[in-house]
Amino acid sequence: MSYNKADIERRMTGALDALKHDLGGLRTGRASTSLLDPVNVEVYGAHMPLNQVATVTAPEARMLAVQVWDRSNVQPVEKAIRAAGLGLNPIVDGQTLRLPIPDLTEERRKELAKLASQYGEKAKIAVRNVRRDGMDALKTSEKKGEIGKDEEKRLETEVQKLTDKAIADVDAVCAAKEKEILGQ
C-alpha cells in the first residue's frame, strides 16, 4: 500500500459527507424532506425506502406531505412513518399523508444535540482511521526505500494538516447542527 494524498482526502471528505447525511435526518423543528430518509416501507413483499414509493415535499415550514403513488401502499407507508420513532403522526387524506411537525421539547432538543455530537465523534474516528492508514503507508514506503526519511516527515506533516482540517470541518458542521437543534 503506497501513500496517495488524493485517496486520503477523498476518504476524509467521505466521512464528512456521511456525517452531513446523518445530521440531515435529525429533526430540528422545521420541515425537511430528508427527515424521512431513514423510513423504510414494507411493500410488494420487500423493504423499500420511502422515496421509492412516494413523493415527499415540504409545502409549509412545519408540515411535510407524502404523496403515495399506489393507493394500496397508503396503509404500509403510514405504519412505517409511525414506527420510525420520529414522533410524527400522519394524517391520511386519500393518497396523501400530511405530517405536522410538532414543536420540540427542551428535553428532546438536548437528546438530539447529544445524538448530533455522537455522529460527530463517529466521523472524527473515521477521519483518524484514514490518518492512521496514511501514516502506515508512509512508514511502509520509507522502509521499502521508495521515499527518504525527509520525504516521509514532510508527507506525515501533510497528512496531519489534512486530518486537522477534516476534524475542524466535522466540529463546525456539528456545532452548526447543535445550534440549529437548540434553537439558538
Side-chain angles (χ1 to χ4, degrees):
M1 179 173 89
S2 66
Y3 172 75
N4 180 342
K5 180 182 176 184
D7 184 54
I8 288 174
E9 283 179 318
R10 181 188 56 75
R11 289 172 57 199
M12 286 183 179
T13 303
L16 187 63
D17 290 345
L19 170 67
K20 287 178 182 172
H21 181 266
D22 287 346
L23 292 177
L26 289 183
R27 194 154 69 86
T28 59
R30 281 200 314 271
S32 166
T33 56
S34 62
L35 186 61
L36 297 177
D37 284 353
V39 176
N40 282 310
V41 184
E42 192 171 338
V43 288
Y44 312 120
H47 286 277
M48 299 173 80
L50 179 64
N51 62 10
Q52 290 185 7
V53 295
T55 304
V56 181
T57 57
E60 299 170 30
R62 305 193 54 77
M63 174 82 68
L64 287 175
V66 179
Q67 178 70 42
V68 183
W69 301 329
D70 183 347
R71 187 176 295 281
S72 66
N73 292 338
V74 172
Q75 209 65 36
V77 167
E78 179 190 12
K79 187 176 160 192
I81 291 171
R82 287 186 192 279
L86 298 170
L88 300 173
N89 290 315
I91 301 164
V92 180
D93 181 13
Q95 279 182 243
T96 303
L97 288 102
R98 280 201 287 285
L99 306 166
I101 308 292
D103 280 329
L104 292 173
T105 63
E106 191 59 34
E107 185 178 320
R108 182 70 178 139
R109 284 180 191 275
K110 286 182 177 147
E111 283 175 26
L112 289 173
K114 196 181 293 183
L115 189 58
S117 68
Q118 286 173 358
Y119 286 158
E121 200 48 48
K122 265 193 339 196
K124 286 181 189 178
I125 289 168
V127 168
R128 288 186 200 114
N129 287 340
V130 173
R131 175 189 177 275
R132 186 193 61 229
D133 292 348
M135 294 297 196
D136 289 350
L138 288 172
K139 281 184 181 54
T140 304
S141 294
E142 198 273 329
K143 280 185 183 143
K144 288 181 181 175
E146 295 168 2
I147 59 173
K149 264 286 188 210
D150 292 345
E151 182 72 357
E152 179 191 8
K153 289 292 177 214
R154 188 185 68 72
L155 292 172
E156 280 179 358
T157 304
E158 192 175 84
V159 170
Q160 188 58 49
K161 282 182 182 164
L162 291 173
T163 304
D164 293 344
K165 183 188 178 317
I167 297 278
D169 290 347
V170 166
D171 286 339
V173 167
C174 284
K177 188 66 175 186
E178 286 178 31
K179 188 175 179 183
E180 184 183 341
I181 289 169
L182 296 171
Q184 296 170 337

